[in-house]
Amino acid sequence: MRIGNDRRGDEFEINVIPLIDVLLTLLMFFVLTSTFIQHSRMQVTLPQASTPDRDLDTQALTIMIDRDGRFYVGSDEVMGEGIEALKQTIARNAGDDRARPVTIRADAMTPNQNVVTAMDALGQLGFTRLSIATTPSKPGNGR
């Protein structure tokens, strides 16, 4: 007969390592399968026009120009200076589809030369369907 409590009961223990493995696997799955589209990370103040927006069925290639003159093709910033760096980035994003429509979204305060540079690069690459994005003018604005 035992009188003392010299035997410890079975200690209950939760093994968290398999739980961490499952959580990290799920985290990796969701990070790798999600898409990160950042079309609106750069705020551009568009010039105004009186024509309404039109919806295009084809996904247009977007070239954005900020007020400091930096170019963005899609969501990629153009690294380097000059028209050649811009042409390389456009060609990389557009592939071989030269019939694809292109929308130039330039800030209202950007110099006109930057818009002309973008149009020149697109023309040299063979793009012919160009449009410039604007915001609708307010009625009674007098413009």
Side-chain angles (χ1 to χ4, degrees):
M1 177 162 103
R2 292 188 179 200
I3 298 190
N5 190 7
D6 57 351
R7 183 175 159 219
R8 297 171 117 179
D10 291 336
E11 291 185 23
F12 183 69
E13 173 179 318
I14 297 177
N15 193 359
V16 294
I17 293 176
L19 179 65
I20 292 172
D21 289 343
V22 169
L23 289 177
L24 287 176
T25 303
L26 286 173
L27 179 67
M28 286 176 34
F29 172 76
F30 287 119
V31 167
L32 294 176
T33 58
S34 65
T35 58
F36 299 102
I37 299 176
Q38 298 178 351
H39 291 291
S40 62
R41 72 177 173 183
M42 184 176 75
Q43 297 296 325
V44 175
T45 305
L46 297 176
Q48 295 182 352
S50 60
T51 58
D53 290 340
R54 53 188 179 121
D55 294 330
L56 298 174
D57 295 332
T58 313
Q59 181 67 26
L61 178 67
T62 303
I63 297 177
M64 295 175 48
I65 309 168
D66 67 3
R67 69 177 50 208
D68 298 325
R70 289 188 300 262
F71 292 91
Y72 297 84
V73 179
S75 60
D76 299 335
E77 183 175 1
V78 176
M79 298 299 174
E81 295 291 325
I83 196 169
E84 290 304 319
L86 179 60
K87 284 170 47 177
Q88 289 174 357
T89 308
I90 292 170
R92 185 174 57 242
N93 280 292
D96 295 330
D97 186 12
R98 297 300 187 251
R100 184 176 181 185
V102 180
T103 302
I104 299 175
R105 298 177 56 91
D107 191 278
M109 302 307 289
T110 193
N112 288 336
Q113 181 59 49
N114 293 333
V115 177
V116 171
T117 300
M119 293 172 71
D120 188 27
L122 290 164
Q124 289 178 18
L125 290 172
F127 289 93
T128 57
R129 298 178 61 195
L130 305 178
S131 62
I132 297 176
T134 59
T135 57
S137 61
K138 295 176 179 59
N141 199 5
R143 287 188 184 185

